[in-house]
Amino acid sequence: MSTMDTQSLPLFPFRREKPLEPPPIYGWARANRPVFPVRLWNGKRAWLITRFDDFKTILQDSRFSSSFAHPSFPAITPAREKVDKKNLPQFLSSLPAAREIDSLFAK
């Protein structure tokens, strides 16, 4: 998809209408299109995953990378791009592996 094709996609990150609530588009996407394409600040397309089971599947798939320094990893702002590509330690990179996710949410 070219930059021109992405212009019709919603710009991510979304603006909040209420400071303490997530933007309504998250609920719409979860109900209607759980794997949802969005446009980033630089015109690139990224995918928003809105359902836990889909997210868990992606975490277990070696075709996806959680490395911020990976050339294809989407940066949500110009500043994030500069920081992420330096491969500095990140909070998200310290999260548990996908196989440990179930134990975090066990009832």
Side-chain angles (χ1 to χ4, degrees), residues 16-24:
R16 290 178 182 261
E17 294 174 11
K18 298 178 181 177
L20 300 177
E21 294 179 18

Side-chain angles (χ1 to χ4, degrees), residues 52-87:
F52 177 73
D53 287 340
D54 297 329
F55 184 72
K56 200 164 86 169
T57 298
I58 287 170
L59 287 175
Q60 295 170 338
D61 190 324
S62 63
R63 293 175 295 173
F64 294 90
S65 174
S66 63
S67 171
F68 292 95
H70 190 283
S72 295
F73 195 90
I76 63 170
T77 66
R80 288 295 336 163
E81 183 173 59
K82 290 181 191 305
V83 171
D84 293 344
K85 301 312 173 194
K86 290 183 179 178
N87 205 21

Side-chain angles (χ1 to χ4, degrees), residues 3 11 39-45 75 81:
T3 301
L11 182 62
R39 177 175 43 99
L40 300 178
W41 62 275
N42 57 6
K44 291 184 178 180
R45 180 182 59 182
E81 183 173 59

Side-chain angles (χ1 to χ4, degrees), residues 27-47:
W28 178 89
R30 193 171 35 261
N32 298 288
R33 194 159 182 197
V35 179
F36 186 63
V38 295
R39 177 175 43 99
L40 300 178
W41 62 275
N42 57 6
K44 291 184 178 180
R45 180 182 59 182
W47 294 95

Side-chain angles (χ1 to χ4, degrees), residues 4 6 10 67 90 93:
M4 191 137 194
T6 63
S67 171
Q90 304 286 331
S93 63

